[in-house]
Amino acid sequence: MENTRELFQVMTRRFGLLNKNCCSAGGCDISLIQSHILYEVDHQHKPSMQQIADTLGTDITTFSRQVQSLVKMNLVKKTPDPDDRRISILSLTTEGKFIATTIDEQMNSFLNEVFSHMNEFEKETVFRSIKLLNNAMAKSNVCCGTISG
């Protein structure tokens, strides 16, 4: 039996998930969490701060700090919800949309290059396996939180 943890450790390193900054776009260094925030704000319809924090599984305090840094970088805009002013709606600025699109293109280019080393059957196997793993993780009651012993 292969060492499962080692497989994930190696994949994490090769994906660059341990790097302080995941990408650089438009002269901005973007951290992994910031990249995820930009992606979710871009792909959800008028999301609130809480919705994105929940999607990413981060606590609201850490999330708020990250959003503040993206606001300072002029990539994200916070607007009070017209129906409930306690809720902030997030949107991308023009520059934020450019950065999100650039990161998307960089990631797609990276993944296309990686998958170019596989035949169609191997690619399909990997995609099917990742879907199975994502579904199993969604059903797990210990996934996505802090692992404690």
Side-chain angles (χ1 to χ4, degrees), residues 8 130-144:
F8 282 94
I130 291 171
K131 286 177 188 171
L132 280 169
L133 181 62
N134 280 338
N135 289 336
M137 290 171 85
K139 293 173 189 169
S140 169
N141 60 357
V142 293
C143 176
C144 312

Side-chain angles (χ1 to χ4, degrees), residues 6-19:
E6 186 175 337
L7 286 172
F8 282 94
Q9 296 280 112
V10 170
M11 187 172 69
T12 299
R13 282 195 303 271
R14 290 195 175 141
F15 254 114
L17 299 180
L18 302 177
N19 299 352

Side-chain angles (χ1 to χ4, degrees), residues 40-41 43-49 51-52 81-82 87-91:
E40 292 301 334
V41 171
H43 288 84
Q44 292 189 30
H45 180 69
K46 295 185 179 178
S48 69
M49 294 260 299
Q51 281 173 295
I52 302 287
D81 185 315
I87 297 173
S88 291
I89 301 299
L90 298 177
S91 59

Side-chain angles (χ1 to χ4, degrees), residues 46-93:
K46 295 185 179 178
S48 69
M49 294 260 299
Q50 191 64 55
Q51 281 173 295
I52 302 287
D54 291 346
T55 298
L56 297 177
T58 51
D59 70 280
I60 197 72
T61 310
T62 305
F63 181 76
S64 293
R65 276 196 303 269
Q66 293 296 337
V67 168
Q68 259 330 106
S69 68
L70 290 168
V71 168
K72 281 182 188 149
M73 294 164 79
N74 193 35
L75 303 179
V76 170
K77 196 166 67 176
K78 277 169 57 177
T79 314
D81 185 315
D83 300 327
D84 184 346
R85 304 197 58 76
R86 295 169 299 172
I87 297 173
S88 291
I89 301 299
L90 298 177
S91 59
L92 297 182
T93 63

